[in-house]
Amino acid sequence: MEQRYVKESRRYKTSRIFPTDVNNHNTLFGGKLMAYIDDIASIAASKHCRRSVVTASTDSVDFLQPIRPTDSVCLESFVTWTGKSSMEVFVKVITEDLKTAERRIAATSFLTFVALDENRRPVNVPQVIPETPEEIRLHETAEHRKEMRAQRREQSKKFADVLTTVFPWE
C-alpha cells in the first residue's frame, strides 16, 4: 500500500482581516473562517492523494478566540489519518496581531474528504505517515474521532427520516 508523509500534504493560507470580513461584534464572520477552512483542507487532501476530492463532512469547528481586524489569520492544514478512500484533515487557525506580533490559536477543525476517480467514484488513498509529536498525537487519536463521526452520521440519518421536505407556505 502506498504511503505518504504528513508533511507532503501540509498547506498554509494567510489572510488579512478587513472591515467587510467582520460581524456586528467586530470579529471575523464564522462563515468566512469556515470557507477558509474548507478551502485549505481540500487542498491538503488533494495534495495527499493527487486526486479530486469531495468534502464528506465538517466534523468540528471549534472557535477558541475571536479574530479581530487588527489580526492576520494563518491556517495550517494537513492530513492526519486515512481510511480506504477517506482522509481526515486537521486545520489549525493561528491569529497574529499585526501590531504586537502576539499569536494565538483561534480555532481548530477536523474535516473528512473522500478521493474520487474520473467517474466520481471513491478511490483508494495512500496511508499517512506522521513524524512530529503533533502529527503523531493527531494520528493516534484519529480512530476515536472516526468512531464518533460514524455514530453522528447514523444519528443524522435517523433524524433526517423524521424531517419534512414541505415548506409551510406550500
Side-chain angles (χ1 to χ4, degrees):
M1 177 57 118
E2 187 180 1
Q3 297 181 326
R4 294 210 174 108
Y5 290 99
V6 168
K7 65 185 172 193
E8 295 179 67
S9 69
R10 193 177 301 270
R11 299 289 110 202
Y12 297 92
K13 175 186 184 83
T14 303
S15 296
R16 177 182 282 273
I17 307 305
F18 289 104
T20 56
D21 298 329
V22 299
N23 57 29
N24 59 315
H25 301 289
N26 206 34
T27 59
L28 182 66
F29 278 112
K32 180 93 172 182
L33 182 60
M34 290 169 70
Y36 288 163
I37 288 169
D38 191 47
D39 180 41
I40 194 70
S42 72
I43 294 169
S46 290
K47 285 281 290 184
H48 180 75
C49 66
R50 292 296 178 186
R51 296 281 191 161
S52 293
V53 298
V54 64
T55 308
S57 68
T58 300
D59 306 327
S60 65
V61 179
D62 293 312
F63 301 98
L64 305 173
Q65 297 286 326
I67 302 171
R68 298 187 172 86
T70 55
D71 296 332
S72 69
V73 62
C74 181
L75 291 84
E76 178 183 2
S77 177
F78 51 91
V79 175
T80 58
W81 177 87
T82 57
K84 184 177 176 184
S85 63
S86 64
M87 296 161 280
E88 179 187 79
V89 179
F90 175 67
V91 180
K92 177 175 32 174
V93 179
I94 302 167
T95 62
E96 180 177 344
D97 186 298
L98 294 172
K99 294 179 181 176
T100 67
E102 178 190 358
R103 290 184 179 178
R104 299 170 294 141
I105 303 293
T108 59
S109 183
F110 287 95
L111 301 91
T112 302
F113 288 83
V114 173
L116 302 175
D117 67 14
E118 298 75 23
N119 299 313
R120 297 185 179 163
R121 300 213 186 275
V123 62
N124 290 350
V125 297
Q127 293 178 343
V128 67
I129 305 168
E131 296 178 286
T132 70
E134 183 179 59
E135 293 167 0
I136 292 166
R137 175 77 171 134
L138 289 166
H139 186 75
E140 288 174 346
T141 56
E143 194 65 38
H144 175 69
R145 288 187 299 276
K146 178 188 173 197
E147 291 168 8
M148 290 173 43
R149 276 192 294 275
Q151 289 174 5
R152 189 176 59 248
R153 184 169 172 80
E154 282 306 308
Q155 290 172 351
S156 292
K157 285 180 181 180
K158 289 177 184 175
F159 187 61
D161 288 341
V162 300
L163 298 176
T164 181
T165 57
V166 178
F167 296 107
W169 60 85
E170 294 182 321

